[in-house]
Structure formats: structure tokens, C-alpha cells
Amino acid sequence: KWPKIMEEGSNVTAPTVDRIKTVNGVDYYFNGWYKDASCTVEATSEDFRNIKGTSLIFYGKYVADLQISATGYSGVYDGRSHKPSVTAPAGSVIEYQDGSVWSTAVPTIKDVGEKTVKIRVTYDGSVETAEVVLKVTPAPLSVKTGGASKVYDGSALTQPEGAEVSGLKNGETAAVKATGSQTEVGRSSNTYEMEWGTASASNYTIQTEALGVLEVTGQSIDPEDPDYKGIIVNDPQDAEYNGEEHKWVPTVTDPEAGVLKEGTDYRVT
């Protein structure tokens, strides 16, 4: 039975203790005997032999087997803040190091990027650490523009209508401005520029594009053709034989632009 009265110079056998104790759902493991109440100076086997002095106290120390779990975050940008998740015994002090300073403030991530967070959990003198990563990747956007067509008239064909973007998160705003232009006979994509409102370009990536087509077709010289716009082409003329080659070079006249230039305004095929 303890405490015991021993003769000076006697040897002491430490009492038998439970190797594991459970308190509030946490297991505590016996860590050994110590010579001071704060359990910083561990007792050795020699301390239990040849006892001297009027009284000697040994302190048994139990250490919590601190079981924690920590989870980071990895996801696509959604316009919201995300934080690490830590599971630890009730009453634990949970600290985070997001940079160089430890703090109980929980770090978060919202915008595209990646950060490493260190976690320190303290419970009844026991300390456990963990490290997690918070990562956000760009959200995909889809962009489309409208298309249009017309018969060549010398002016640029554009189509500002029908330009839109989809996939923005959490009420953020951005707009699409169509910038495509086609003047000469031919076709091209109705290109665009993004106009960022409350949304940040760094949080998004253009994943799909559905661009409209701007197409300009040639005018007809046939007055009966629906595409006829009043172009006048002179008729070939007879010529008297003179031993030289005669070639008809048409004169093409636009009612608004005047005489047109071959190779620039029209082609002879």
C-alpha cells in the first residue's frame, strides 16, 4: 500500500499501474515515472535504489494517444471559400500555420491557386501535427457568338447579337463582345472579346467555343437573280480584223461605288 515508509538505504519497487487508461473517450498510455510534479525529469532505475532523505515522491505520467484526422480541399472554382476539416477530441486546441505564424484562425481558399496548411492539435499536454493542401482549379466556360450572311455590298458584315457566355459561378458577371468582321466575298468566324465584370479571368478557362460564321457572297450580274444589286456590265463589242488579238475587258459599274477594279472588286472567271 502506498505511500510506504521505508528505511533509509532501502530499494523501492515501483507500483504496478494500468498501462492504458481511457478518459472521455481518449486513451492515455503510461509514459513512466518522474521525479518532479511537472513530469519533466524522468526517474531512472537508480533513483529507486538506496533511498535517502526523509521523503521521496515519484510521479506517474500518462500521455494521451491523440488521434486526429485532417483533410484538405481540392475542387473547381465555385465562387465560395473552402477550409480544411479537422477531427480531434472535444476540448482540443487546433492551430493552423498558413505562412509562418500559428493561429487558431482557420485559413480558407476561394480563388484559383494552391496553398499548404500545417495543423497542430494540442490536447491535455499531447500534441499532434498534420499537413493538408487547399487547391482550386479554374471553372470551365462556354462561349458562343452569332452568325450572319449577306451579298457583297462593300461594307463590313458584323453580328453583335447572340454573343453570350455560360458557366459563371455564384452570381458573378461577365459579357461577350462579338468582334468578327467580313467585308470581301468569303467567310470567317465571328470572333469575340471577354468583358469581365465581377468575375475574374484568372478563375475561369474558356473550354468550349461555338463561333458563328460571317459569310459574304458575290453579287449577281443577272437582273433576274435575287442577289442582283444593280451591277452593270458592258457588253462585248465587235471589232474589225486587224491581225491582232482582241480580248473583251468588261467594265463593271456599281450604282453607288462607280467603276469597279478587276482583281480587287471582282474577278472574271
Side-chain angles (χ1 to χ4, degrees):
K1 184 177 179 180
W2 295 85
K4 286 186 177 182
I5 299 175
M6 308 290 292
E7 292 184 5
E8 189 171 354
S10 300
N11 296 331
V12 177
T13 301
T16 301
V17 297
D18 294 332
R19 307 307 297 179
I20 302 175
K21 289 185 177 182
T22 302
V23 180
N24 296 328
V26 178
D27 291 336
Y28 287 77
Y29 288 81
F30 184 71
N31 182 253
W33 295 99
Y34 289 79
K35 297 165 64 175
D36 59 319
S38 59
C39 293
T40 58
V41 182
E42 190 171 3
T44 66
S45 58
E46 292 300 320
D47 293 317
F48 290 89
R49 296 189 181 97
N50 192 19
I51 299 299
K52 296 179 180 180
T54 56
S55 66
L56 183 62
I57 301 175
F58 292 101
Y59 300 87
K61 179 180 180 180
Y62 281 85
V63 177
D65 180 28
L66 191 53
Q67 300 291 327
I68 69 170
S69 65
T71 305
Y73 176 80
S74 180
V76 176
Y77 176 78
D78 61 5
R80 294 177 170 82
S81 296
H82 300 274
K83 61 185 179 181
S85 173
V86 180
T87 300
S92 297
V93 176
I94 304 175
E95 298 172 286
Y96 304 87
Q97 188 184 58
D98 178 15
S100 59
V101 178
W102 287 98
S103 170
T104 56
V106 182
T108 62
I109 189 169
K110 176 183 176 182
D111 295 323
V112 168
E114 181 176 323
K115 64 170 67 175
T116 299
V117 177
K118 294 181 179 180
I119 299 170
R120 182 170 65 192
V121 178
T122 304
Y123 179 83
D124 199 14
S126 295
V127 178
E128 285 291 333
T129 60
E131 187 174 281
V132 298
V133 173
L134 304 178
K135 182 178 181 180
V136 174
T137 55
L141 294 180
S142 296
V143 173
K144 74 175 184 178
T145 58
S149 63
K150 72 173 183 177
V151 176
Y152 175 80
D153 61 4
S155 63
L157 171 64
T158 60
Q159 176 54 283
E161 303 297 325
E164 60 183 51
V165 58
S166 59
L168 294 166
K169 303 299 182 181
N170 201 25
E172 294 182 342
T173 60
V176 178
K177 178 183 178 181
T179 58
S181 176
Q182 182 72 30
T183 301
E184 304 300 325
V185 172
R187 53 190 291 146
S188 60
S189 295
N190 191 6
T191 53
Y192 67 93
E193 292 178 353
M194 290 295 300
E195 297 180 336
W196 299 100
T198 60
S200 173
S202 61
N203 287 327
Y204 294 93
T205 181
I206 308 298
Q207 188 174 75
T208 58
E209 294 178 329
L211 304 185
V213 174
L214 302 176
E215 183 174 18
V216 175
T217 57
Q219 290 190 23
S220 172
I221 61 174
D222 180 1
E224 302 299 323
D225 193 313
D227 289 340
Y228 180 71
K229 300 293 184 181
I231 290 293
I232 301 172
V233 181
N234 69 324
D235 294 327
Q237 300 295 317
D238 294 336
E240 183 177 327
Y241 175 76
N242 59 6
E244 297 179 357
E245 180 184 13
H246 293 267
K247 180 181 179 181
W248 174 60
V249 177
T251 299
V252 181
T253 304
D254 182 283
E256 295 182 3
V259 177
L260 304 181
K261 183 178 180 181
E262 181 181 358
T264 300
D265 301 317
Y266 70 92
R267 296 193 312 272
V268 178
T269 58

PDB file of all heavy atoms in Angstrom, residues 241-265:
ATOM      1  N   TYR A 241     -11.166  42.954-138.094  1.00  0.00           N
ATOM      2  CA  TYR A 241      -9.918  42.192-138.066  1.00  0.00           C
ATOM      3  C   TYR A 241      -8.755  43.094-138.460  1.00  0.00           C
ATOM      4  O   TYR A 241      -8.814  43.810-139.440  1.00  0.00           O
ATOM      5  CB  TYR A 241     -10.005  41.006-139.022  1.00  0.00           C
ATOM      6  CG  TYR A 241      -8.695  40.262-139.119  1.00  0.00           C
ATOM      7  CD1 TYR A 241      -8.284  39.407-138.101  1.00  0.00           C
ATOM      8  CD2 TYR A 241      -7.843  40.453-140.222  1.00  0.00           C
ATOM      9  CE1 TYR A 241      -7.083  38.747-138.178  1.00  0.00           C
ATOM     10  CE2 TYR A 241      -6.632  39.796-140.293  1.00  0.00           C
ATOM     11  CZ  TYR A 241      -6.250  38.943-139.271  1.00  0.00           C
ATOM     12  OH  TYR A 241      -5.031  38.285-139.340  1.00  0.00           O
ATOM     13  N   ASN A 242      -7.704  43.034-137.635  1.00  0.00           N
ATOM     14  CA  ASN A 242      -6.511  43.812-137.949  1.00  0.00           C
ATOM     15  C   ASN A 242      -5.239  43.020-137.693  1.00  0.00           C
ATOM     16  O   ASN A 242      -4.154  43.578-137.590  1.00  0.00           O
ATOM     17  CB  ASN A 242      -6.489  45.103-137.135  1.00  0.00           C
ATOM     18  CG  ASN A 242      -6.504  44.836-135.644  1.00  0.00           C
ATOM     19  OD1 ASN A 242      -6.417  43.686-135.207  1.00  0.00           O
ATOM     20  ND2 ASN A 242      -6.621  45.899-134.858  1.00  0.00           N
ATOM     21  N   GLY A 243      -5.419  41.698-137.561  1.00  0.00           N
ATOM     22  CA  GLY A 243      -4.238  40.841-137.357  1.00  0.00           C
ATOM     23  C   GLY A 243      -3.786  40.757-135.901  1.00  0.00           C
ATOM     24  O   GLY A 243      -2.839  40.033-135.594  1.00  0.00           O
ATOM     25  N   GLU A 244      -4.418  41.465-135.024  1.00  0.00           N
ATOM     26  CA  GLU A 244      -4.044  41.443-133.614  1.00  0.00           C
ATOM     27  C   GLU A 244      -5.138  40.743-132.794  1.00  0.00           C
ATOM     28  O   GLU A 244      -6.288  40.643-133.218  1.00  0.00           O
ATOM     29  CB  GLU A 244      -3.851  42.869-133.092  1.00  0.00           C
ATOM     30  CG  GLU A 244      -2.718  43.615-133.772  1.00  0.00           C
ATOM     31  CD  GLU A 244      -2.586  45.029-133.237  1.00  0.00           C
ATOM     32  OE1 GLU A 244      -3.426  45.408-132.384  1.00  0.00           O
ATOM     33  OE2 GLU A 244      -1.664  45.735-133.665  1.00  0.00           O
ATOM     34  N   GLU A 245      -4.728  40.262-131.618  1.00  0.00           N
ATOM     35  CA  GLU A 245      -5.694  39.588-130.728  1.00  0.00           C
ATOM     36  C   GLU A 245      -6.618  40.615-130.109  1.00  0.00           C
ATOM     37  O   GLU A 245      -6.170  41.681-129.673  1.00  0.00           O
ATOM     38  CB  GLU A 245      -4.960  38.826-129.620  1.00  0.00           C
ATOM     39  CG  GLU A 245      -5.903  38.116-128.673  1.00  0.00           C
ATOM     40  CD  GLU A 245      -5.177  37.442-127.515  1.00  0.00           C
ATOM     41  OE1 GLU A 245      -3.975  37.726-127.308  1.00  0.00           O
ATOM     42  OE2 GLU A 245      -5.803  36.638-126.826  1.00  0.00           O
ATOM     43  N   HIS A 246      -7.863  40.289-130.096  1.00  0.00           N
ATOM     44  CA  HIS A 246      -8.854  41.148-129.466  1.00  0.00           C
ATOM     45  C   HIS A 246      -9.433  40.414-128.252  1.00  0.00           C
ATOM     46  O   HIS A 246      -9.828  39.255-128.355  1.00  0.00           O
ATOM     47  CB  HIS A 246      -9.972  41.516-130.461  1.00  0.00           C
ATOM     48  CG  HIS A 246      -9.492  42.380-131.576  1.00  0.00           C
ATOM     49  ND1 HIS A 246      -9.548  43.764-131.529  1.00  0.00           N
ATOM     50  CD2 HIS A 246      -8.944  42.071-132.789  1.00  0.00           C
ATOM     51  CE1 HIS A 246      -9.061  44.259-132.653  1.00  0.00           C
ATOM     52  NE2 HIS A 246      -8.677  43.247-133.446  1.00  0.00           N
ATOM     53  N   LYS A 247      -9.459  41.071-127.130  1.00  0.00           N
ATOM     54  CA  LYS A 247      -9.964  40.480-125.886  1.00  0.00           C
ATOM     55  C   LYS A 247     -10.915  41.453-125.231  1.00  0.00           C
ATOM     56  O   LYS A 247     -10.605  42.625-125.045  1.00  0.00           O
ATOM     57  CB  LYS A 247      -8.815  40.167-124.933  1.00  0.00           C
ATOM     58  CG  LYS A 247      -9.241  39.553-123.619  1.00  0.00           C
ATOM     59  CD  LYS A 247      -8.025  39.303-122.726  1.00  0.00           C
ATOM     60  CE  LYS A 247      -8.431  38.706-121.390  1.00  0.00           C
ATOM     61  NZ  LYS A 247      -7.262  38.478-120.506  1.00  0.00           N
ATOM     62  N   TRP A 248     -12.055  40.899-124.864  1.00  0.00           N
ATOM     63  CA  TRP A 248     -13.051  41.750-124.207  1.00  0.00           C
ATOM     64  C   TRP A 248     -12.682  41.931-122.732  1.00  0.00           C
ATOM     65  O   TRP A 248     -12.486  40.986-121.989  1.00  0.00           O
ATOM     66  CB  TRP A 248     -14.437  41.131-124.317  1.00  0.00           C
ATOM     67  CG  TRP A 248     -15.504  41.858-123.539  1.00  0.00           C
ATOM     68  CD1 TRP A 248     -15.882  43.143-123.705  1.00  0.00           C
ATOM     69  CD2 TRP A 248     -16.303  41.306-122.476  1.00  0.00           C
ATOM     70  NE1 TRP A 248     -16.866  43.483-122.831  1.00  0.00           N
ATOM     71  CE2 TRP A 248     -17.162  42.359-122.049  1.00  0.00           C
ATOM     72  CE3 TRP A 248     -16.384  40.076-121.861  1.00  0.00           C
ATOM     73  CZ2 TRP A 248     -18.089  42.188-121.037  1.00  0.00           C
ATOM     74  CZ3 TRP A 248     -17.310  39.902-120.865  1.00  0.00           C
ATOM     75  CH2 TRP A 248     -18.156  40.940-120.436  1.00  0.00           C
ATOM     76  N   VAL A 249     -12.538  43.173-122.346  1.00  0.00           N
ATOM     77  CA  VAL A 249     -12.306  43.504-120.940  1.00  0.00           C
ATOM     78  C   VAL A 249     -13.563  44.191-120.435  1.00  0.00           C
ATOM     79  O   VAL A 249     -13.878  45.322-120.848  1.00  0.00           O
ATOM     80  CB  VAL A 249     -11.088  44.425-120.771  1.00  0.00           C
ATOM     81  CG1 VAL A 249     -10.914  44.799-119.309  1.00  0.00           C
ATOM     82  CG2 VAL A 249      -9.838  43.760-121.328  1.00  0.00           C
ATOM     83  N   PRO A 250     -14.305  43.515-119.567  1.00  0.00           N
ATOM     84  CA  PRO A 250     -15.569  44.101-119.127  1.00  0.00           C
ATOM     85  C   PRO A 250     -15.357  45.346-118.249  1.00  0.00           C
ATOM     86  O   PRO A 250     -14.365  45.463-117.547  1.00  0.00           O
ATOM     87  CB  PRO A 250     -16.220  42.977-118.317  1.00  0.00           C
ATOM     88  CG  PRO A 250     -15.075  42.178-117.809  1.00  0.00           C
ATOM     89  CD  PRO A 250     -14.034  42.213-118.894  1.00  0.00           C
ATOM     90  N   THR A 251     -16.304  46.213-118.359  1.00  0.00           N
ATOM     91  CA  THR A 251     -16.367  47.352-117.451  1.00  0.00           C
ATOM     92  C   THR A 251     -17.529  47.113-116.502  1.00  0.00           C
ATOM     93  O   THR A 251     -18.675  46.978-116.930  1.00  0.00           O
ATOM     94  CB  THR A 251     -16.582  48.662-118.226  1.00  0.00           C
ATOM     95  OG1 THR A 251     -15.484  48.861-119.119  1.00  0.00           O
ATOM     96  CG2 THR A 251     -16.673  49.847-117.267  1.00  0.00           C
ATOM     97  N   VAL A 252     -17.195  47.019-115.213  1.00  0.00           N
ATOM     98  CA  VAL A 252     -18.202  46.701-114.200  1.00  0.00           C
ATOM     99  C   VAL A 252     -18.450  47.951-113.372  1.00  0.00           C
ATOM    100  O   VAL A 252     -17.520  48.550-112.829  1.00  0.00           O
ATOM    101  CB  VAL A 252     -17.739  45.544-113.292  1.00  0.00           C
ATOM    102  CG1 VAL A 252     -18.817  45.210-112.258  1.00  0.00           C
ATOM    103  CG2 VAL A 252     -17.406  44.321-114.142  1.00  0.00           C
ATOM    104  N   THR A 253     -19.704  48.323-113.279  1.00  0.00           N
ATOM    105  CA  THR A 253     -20.060  49.563-112.584  1.00  0.00           C
ATOM    106  C   THR A 253     -21.064  49.267-111.474  1.00  0.00           C
ATOM    107  O   THR A 253     -22.079  48.595-111.710  1.00  0.00           O
ATOM    108  CB  THR A 253     -20.671  50.583-113.555  1.00  0.00           C
ATOM    109  OG1 THR A 253     -19.751  50.808-114.635  1.00  0.00           O
ATOM    110  CG2 THR A 253     -20.943  51.903-112.837  1.00  0.00           C
ATOM    111  N   ASP A 254     -20.743  49.776-110.294  1.00  0.00           N
ATOM    112  CA  ASP A 254     -21.664  49.676-109.153  1.00  0.00           C
ATOM    113  C   ASP A 254     -22.419  50.985-109.056  1.00  0.00           C
ATOM    114  O   ASP A 254     -21.816  52.064-109.150  1.00  0.00           O
ATOM    115  CB  ASP A 254     -20.875  49.424-107.863  1.00  0.00           C
ATOM    116  CG  ASP A 254     -21.786  49.253-106.658  1.00  0.00           C
ATOM    117  OD1 ASP A 254     -22.300  50.259-106.162  1.00  0.00           O
ATOM    118  OD2 ASP A 254     -21.950  48.100-106.216  1.00  0.00           O
ATOM    119  N   PRO A 255     -23.742  50.943-108.914  1.00  0.00           N
ATOM    120  CA  PRO A 255     -24.522  52.194-108.868  1.00  0.00           C
ATOM    121  C   PRO A 255     -24.053  53.161-107.790  1.00  0.00           C
ATOM    122  O   PRO A 255     -24.210  54.381-107.945  1.00  0.00           O
ATOM    123  CB  PRO A 255     -25.946  51.698-108.571  1.00  0.00           C
ATOM    124  CG  PRO A 255     -25.970  50.283-109.051  1.00  0.00           C
ATOM    125  CD  PRO A 255     -24.587  49.740-108.805  1.00  0.00           C
ATOM    126  N   GLU A 256     -23.483  52.634-106.692  1.00  0.00           N
ATOM    127  CA  GLU A 256     -23.057  53.515-105.611  1.00  0.00           C
ATOM    128  C   GLU A 256     -21.558  53.774-105.625  1.00  0.00           C
ATOM    129  O   GLU A 256     -21.112  54.888-105.356  1.00  0.00           O
ATOM    130  CB  GLU A 256     -23.462  52.906-104.257  1.00  0.00           C
ATOM    131  CG  GLU A 256     -24.960  52.808-104.070  1.00  0.00           C
ATOM    132  CD  GLU A 256     -25.328  52.255-102.712  1.00  0.00           C
ATOM    133  OE1 GLU A 256     -24.401  51.994-101.901  1.00  0.00           O
ATOM    134  OE2 GLU A 256     -26.533  52.083-102.436  1.00  0.00           O
ATOM    135  N   ALA A 257     -20.769  52.730-105.935  1.00  0.00           N
ATOM    136  CA  ALA A 257     -19.309  52.862-105.847  1.00  0.00           C
ATOM    137  C   ALA A 257     -18.661  53.290-107.158  1.00  0.00           C
ATOM    138  O   ALA A 257     -17.476  53.626-107.182  1.00  0.00           O
ATOM    139  CB  ALA A 257     -18.699  51.536-105.370  1.00  0.00           C
ATOM    140  N   GLY A 258     -19.411  53.256-108.256  1.00  0.00           N
ATOM    141  CA  GLY A 258     -18.825  53.621-109.538  1.00  0.00           C
ATOM    142  C   GLY A 258     -18.152  52.430-110.188  1.00  0.00           C
ATOM    143  O   GLY A 258     -18.472  51.266-109.919  1.00  0.00           O
ATOM    144  N   VAL A 259     -17.183  52.724-111.086  1.00  0.00           N
ATOM    145  CA  VAL A 259     -16.487  51.667-111.826  1.00  0.00           C
ATOM    146  C   VAL A 259     -15.615  50.868-110.863  1.00  0.00           C
ATOM    147  O   VAL A 259     -14.816  51.428-110.108  1.00  0.00           O
ATOM    148  CB  VAL A 259     -15.627  52.263-112.960  1.00  0.00           C
ATOM    149  CG1 VAL A 259     -14.858  51.149-113.676  1.00  0.00           C
ATOM    150  CG2 VAL A 259     -16.507  53.015-113.947  1.00  0.00           C
ATOM    151  N   LEU A 260     -15.777  49.538-110.913  1.00  0.00           N
ATOM    152  CA  LEU A 260     -15.037  48.654-110.024  1.00  0.00           C
ATOM    153  C   LEU A 260     -13.752  48.181-110.673  1.00  0.00           C
ATOM    154  O   LEU A 260     -13.616  48.171-111.907  1.00  0.00           O
ATOM    155  CB  LEU A 260     -15.907  47.443-109.646  1.00  0.00           C
ATOM    156  CG  LEU A 260     -17.271  47.770-109.006  1.00  0.00           C
ATOM    157  CD1 LEU A 260     -18.001  46.485-108.661  1.00  0.00           C
ATOM    158  CD2 LEU A 260     -17.096  48.649-107.783  1.00  0.00           C
ATOM    159  N   LYS A 261     -12.775  47.765-109.821  1.00  0.00           N
ATOM    160  CA  LYS A 261     -11.474  47.360-110.296  1.00  0.00           C
ATOM    161  C   LYS A 261     -11.361  45.840-110.314  1.00  0.00           C
ATOM    162  O   LYS A 261     -11.619  45.178-109.289  1.00  0.00           O
ATOM    163  CB  LYS A 261     -10.376  47.953-109.408  1.00  0.00           C
ATOM    164  CG  LYS A 261      -8.972  47.640-109.886  1.00  0.00           C
ATOM    165  CD  LYS A 261      -7.942  48.311-108.989  1.00  0.00           C
ATOM    166  CE  LYS A 261      -6.531  48.006-109.456  1.00  0.00           C
ATOM    167  NZ  LYS A 261      -5.522  48.646-108.572  1.00  0.00           N
ATOM    168  N   GLU A 262     -10.951  45.314-111.485  1.00  0.00           N
ATOM    169  CA  GLU A 262     -10.801  43.861-111.597  1.00  0.00           C
ATOM    170  C   GLU A 262      -9.690  43.379-110.660  1.00  0.00           C
ATOM    171  O   GLU A 262      -8.648  44.013-110.534  1.00  0.00           O
ATOM    172  CB  GLU A 262     -10.458  43.475-113.038  1.00  0.00           C
ATOM    173  CG  GLU A 262     -10.316  41.965-113.223  1.00  0.00           C
ATOM    174  CD  GLU A 262      -9.959  41.567-114.646  1.00  0.00           C
ATOM    175  OE1 GLU A 262      -9.859  42.468-115.509  1.00  0.00           O
ATOM    176  OE2 GLU A 262      -9.760  40.369-114.883  1.00  0.00           O
ATOM    177  N   GLY A 263      -9.932  42.272-109.991  1.00  0.00           N
ATOM    178  CA  GLY A 263      -8.954  41.712-109.070  1.00  0.00           C
ATOM    179  C   GLY A 263      -9.102  42.222-107.664  1.00  0.00           C
ATOM    180  O   GLY A 263      -8.678  41.575-106.702  1.00  0.00           O
ATOM    181  N   THR A 264      -9.699  43.417-107.537  1.00  0.00           N
ATOM    182  CA  THR A 264      -9.944  43.979-106.210  1.00  0.00           C
ATOM    183  C   THR A 264     -11.423  43.887-105.861  1.00  0.00           C
ATOM    184  O   THR A 264     -11.796  43.402-104.785  1.00  0.00           O
ATOM    185  CB  THR A 264      -9.489  45.443-106.139  1.00  0.00           C
ATOM    186  OG1 THR A 264      -8.087  45.515-106.418  1.00  0.00           O
ATOM    187  CG2 THR A 264      -9.753  46.016-104.741  1.00  0.00           C
ATOM    188  N   ASP A 265     -12.255  44.342-106.799  1.00  0.00           N
ATOM    189  CA  ASP A 265     -13.690  44.365-106.546  1.00  0.00           C
ATOM    190  C   ASP A 265     -14.439  43.194-107.207  1.00  0.00           C
ATOM    191  O   ASP A 265     -15.536  42.852-106.778  1.00  0.00           O
ATOM    192  CB  ASP A 265     -14.296  45.677-107.050  1.00  0.00           C
ATOM    193  CG  ASP A 265     -13.665  46.892-106.388  1.00  0.00           C
ATOM    194  OD1 ASP A 265     -13.466  46.832-105.156  1.00  0.00           O
ATOM    195  OD2 ASP A 265     -13.361  47.868-107.076  1.00  0.00           O
TER     196      ASP A 265
END
